[in-house]
Amino acid sequence: MRIATWNVNSMNVRLPRVLDWLSTMQPDVLCLQETKQADEKFPFADLEEAGYTSVHHGEGRWNGVAIVSRVGLEEVEVGLGSPEDEQGARLIAATCAGVRVMSCYVPNGRTLDSEHYVGKLAWLDRLRSRLAEQPPDALVVALGDFNVAPADADVWDMAALEGMTHVSRPERAAIEAVLALGYEDVFVRFHPEGGVYSWWDYRDGAFHKGHGMRIDLALTSPALSPLVTGAFVDRDARKGVKPSDHAPVVIDVDLP
DNA sequence: ATGTCCCAACTTTTGGGA
């Protein structure tokens, strides 16, 4: 079973690339973030034509998350049950072929002194609580744009990011708190050397300079982790005409 | 060198957000 996540930065603009990517990479489940669409605008029919059913949670201009699956979508759940999430459209969950899949778009945080940074940490803590509530033997993966680079090896230059969000100790501690539940940032097992990124700023030619960060994560539950057989970033999807600023992150799972 | 992209709207330019 192939499960992927991709912050598409507007599904309206990216639909042709998403359809191409589904056809090439053949994921069973694709989580999307930043669709930037209201539910009625989401291209359910185009994806259906490609063999995928979808669930979407969006408010229109900002945010928006979806799960696209060719192996079923059951027990769909939206948000984290907090008033702060009502206008957020940052989480959608569904069970796909027995795996609980959570498509996450963690708040950006903006700056370390911003109220949005406080909200980001609070959101991550609510996600941790939600994961802690899952049955201990459940097959769960929380994947998406976490807007946190968990380790120094996940960014091109720590010195350049001094005092910025995405690399601060409290943000990393929020990810570590999920790992403390027994979850695994499973990509690291397959790329322990680091230096593999999933996002590059549009500005300043960052992609061509290799100025990226790994902020799109797949956090797997204790029961799911041993079944993961591979993980990679499809860096090619960041190239060419009208790319998202994120590349898809893919994990392969060998279900019994 | 915050140098791009995407969205909405008091829409054909501008401001907000990432």
Side-chain angles (χ1 to χ4, degrees):
Chain A
M1 184 181 187
R2 171 163 283 183
I3 307 173
T5 182
W6 195 3
N7 179 324
V8 289
N9 185 21
S10 168
M11 189 58 165
N12 189 42
V13 172
R14 224 65 66 201
L15 178 62
R17 289 188 73 125
V18 171
L19 291 173
D20 280 354
W21 195 81
L22 288 171
S23 167
T24 304
M25 302 304 290
Q26 294 289 311
D28 296 293
V29 179
L30 172 61
C31 294
L32 302 173
Q33 300 87 37
E34 285 206 84
T35 61
K36 298 184 175 179
Q37 288 174 320
D39 291 338
E40 58 268 25
K41 297 281 187 183
F42 188 79
F44 293 102
D46 298 279
L47 292 162
E48 196 74 44
E49 220 169 298
Y52 291 83
T53 51
S54 310
V55 287
H56 179 258
H57 175 41
E59 59 188 355
R61 185 171 185 178
W62 308 117
N63 313 317
V65 286
I67 304 176
V68 177
S69 170
R70 64 178 186 187
V71 293
L73 286 164
E74 295 163 17
E75 301 168 85
V76 177
E77 203 174 8
V78 150
L80 282 167
S82 156
E84 292 92 322
D85 293 321
E86 292 300 318
Q87 303 168 342
R90 294 181 177 277
L91 183 104
I92 190 165
T95 300
C96 308
V99 178
R100 190 70 181 154
V101 176
M102 304 173 71
S103 179
C104 308
Y105 178 46
V106 177
N108 175 283
R110 304 191 189 183
T111 57
L112 296 185
D113 59 0
S114 166
E115 61 185 13
H116 294 94
Y117 177 79
V118 177
K120 176 183 195 172
L121 295 176
W123 197 95
L124 281 166
D125 190 57
R126 290 198 294 279
L127 177 66
R128 183 199 54 74
S129 296
R130 174 61 57 87
L131 294 174
E133 291 165 4
Q134 305 298 313
D137 54 350
L139 304 175
V140 184
V141 58
L143 63 175
D145 178 0
F146 280 76
N147 272 316
V148 180
D152 290 359
D154 295 316
V155 305
W156 85 98
D157 182 2
M158 274 303 288
L161 294 167
E162 178 72 35
M164 311 282 275
T165 60
H166 295 60
V167 297
S168 73
R169 182 90 297 272
E171 290 166 274
R172 286 178 169 176
I175 300 297
E176 287 157 13
V178 174
L179 305 186
L181 299 173
Y183 277 66
E184 182 181 3
D185 178 5
V186 74
F187 188 86
V188 177
R189 197 201 311 164
F190 300 94
H191 305 274
E193 73 288 354
V196 182
Y197 311 132
S198 65
W199 171 85
W200 299 260
D201 202 311
Y202 282 124
R203 296 167 290 191
D204 196 24
F207 181 65
H208 297 285
K209 293 179 182 174
H211 294 183
M213 296 191 202
R214 188 177 69 91
I215 57 175
D216 299 272
L217 312 178
L219 307 180
T220 50
S221 69
L224 185 62
S225 292
L227 308 179
V228 178
T229 59
F232 63 94
V233 170
D234 181 20
R235 199 174 167 280
D236 288 343
R238 181 62 176 77
K239 302 176 181 175
V241 179
K242 279 198 174 289
S244 170
D245 47 352
H246 294 251
V249 176
V250 181
I251 66 169
D252 288 314
V253 181
D254 192 5
L255 289 181

